[in-house]
Amino acid sequence: MKVSDAVLSRSSVRAFKKTPIQNSVLQELLEKSARSPSGGNLQPWKIYVINGPSMKTFLDFQSTWSEPESPAYDIYPPKLKEPYRTSRYELGEQMYKLLGIARDDKEGRLAQVMQNFKFFGAPAAILCFVDRQMGPPQWSDLGMFLQTFMLLAQEYGIDTCAQEAWSMKNDSVSAFVDADENDILFCGLALGHRDENAKINKLSSERRPLDQWAKFL
Ligand SMILES: Cc1cc2nc3c(=O)[nH]c(=O)nc-3n(C[C@H](O)[C@H](O)[C@H](O)COP(=O)(O)O)c2cc1C
């Protein structure tokens, strides 16, 4: 598969089939993803894999979670500026329209958000941590690692959805994986094979035009 094809065919998948994924495949994907560049070659990513039986244990473990938890970090700035605010709003509207969930259907919208915490039915997932000592440069390294992982997954016919939503469950997830107390959960990433019949997977996210964010000098 050409890199361009991997880039163009990847999209966030939010409904998965149960088809299992071998740990050996995930190991290969992780080893290749570690070829991602990182400033000073720090390789600041820390990954926990949940797959098959450990996914079941993880989902069962959720019944012990207390609500609410303090989020690991603010997913978005409190007063999101334009044009970011509109992009975020439009994505949400597009998603709920596809699902036939009305604007005032708060319960329906919340139920969809809560699907995050089931990994959208995916059989496998990775949880990505980073040491709290690290700052924006290393968090950006983690992003590069994740994009490499997601593109390689495309090559292997595996779909993905990165999930910052997990930052809201930092404490519970950290307890489950027995994370180092210095580490913070950046995100989860659901892994599996897309359910082609699920409406949500028809979502095709927009991009702002190039002249709005790039300037050729
Ligand atoms: C770091 C990161 C975290 C994300 N967190 C979530 C999430 O918690 N839940 C979700 O449904 N989508 C999440 N997404 C998916 C984005 O909404 C998605 O990438 C964006 O809308 C563009 O759509 P596309 O991935 O289909 O191209 C996340 C994406 C990234 C890169």
Side-chain angles (χ1 to χ4, degrees):
M1 177 182 262
K2 280 165 56 182
V3 178
S4 293
D5 293 335
V7 169
L8 296 175
S9 64
R10 187 211 57 80
S11 65
S12 294
V13 163
R14 297 183 180 88
F16 290 87
K17 293 195 286 205
K18 293 284 167 224
T19 320
I21 304 220
Q22 299 296 311
N23 264 340
S24 55
V25 169
L26 298 180
Q27 193 165 338
E28 241 179 89
L29 284 174
L30 289 168
E31 270 172 4
K32 288 184 183 174
S33 302
R35 297 307 309 172
S36 301
S38 59
N41 201 23
L42 258 58
Q43 306 157 64
W45 39 81
K46 288 196 180 181
I47 307 293
Y48 296 86
V49 179
I50 44 181
N51 189 17
S54 56
M55 174 61 88
K56 185 178 175 340
T57 316
F58 180 78
L59 296 177
D60 291 347
F61 176 73
Q62 285 191 356
S63 58
T64 67
W65 294 4
S66 58
E67 301 269 351
E69 287 182 29
S70 352
Y73 57 89
D74 286 337
I75 295 182
Y76 304 107
K79 283 188 183 156
L80 197 57
K81 291 180 190 167
E82 292 297 349
Y84 314 110
R85 194 168 179 272
T86 297
S87 290
R88 185 183 174 206
Y89 175 81
E90 285 177 353
L91 176 78
E93 289 308 302
Q94 213 185 330
M95 188 185 295
Y96 294 122
K97 192 172 170 203
L98 247 181
L99 295 171
I101 302 174
R103 191 164 298 176
D104 57 357
D105 181 0
K106 288 211 170 89
E107 262 177 42
R109 290 186 173 216
L110 182 65
Q112 176 53 35
V113 171
M114 293 309 282
Q115 284 300 310
N116 271 288
F117 303 111
K118 305 274 173 239
F119 284 115
F120 303 112
I126 58 172
L127 294 158
C128 314
F129 285 75
V130 62
D131 194 298
R132 286 175 195 272
Q133 188 191 35
M134 303 299 176
Q138 292 77 38
W139 282 60
S140 125
D141 293 339
L142 197 50
M144 275 189 264
F145 175 91
L146 291 169
Q147 174 69 332
T148 305
F149 186 93
M150 289 193 280
L151 295 181
L152 285 167
Q154 283 304 115
E155 185 188 311
Y156 281 63
I158 295 172
D159 294 300
T160 55
C161 185
Q163 296 180 268
E164 288 159 334
W166 283 107
S167 63
M168 291 187 257
K169 299 287 174 193
N170 177 69
D171 296 347
S172 301
V173 174
S174 298
F176 181 82
V177 303
D178 196 19
D180 186 311
E181 61 178 354
N182 297 313
D183 294 345
I184 183 169
L185 177 59
F186 168 42
C187 70
L189 194 131
L191 290 164
H193 297 278
R194 74 175 63 210
D195 176 351
E196 297 91 354
N197 299 321
K199 279 192 208 155
I200 187 106
N201 289 339
K202 307 266 185 278
L203 181 65
S204 171
S205 58
E206 307 284 336
R207 294 296 185 269
R208 293 194 296 275
L210 184 129
D211 62 4
Q212 288 186 15
W213 47 266
K215 205 178 261 180
F216 287 72
L217 305 174

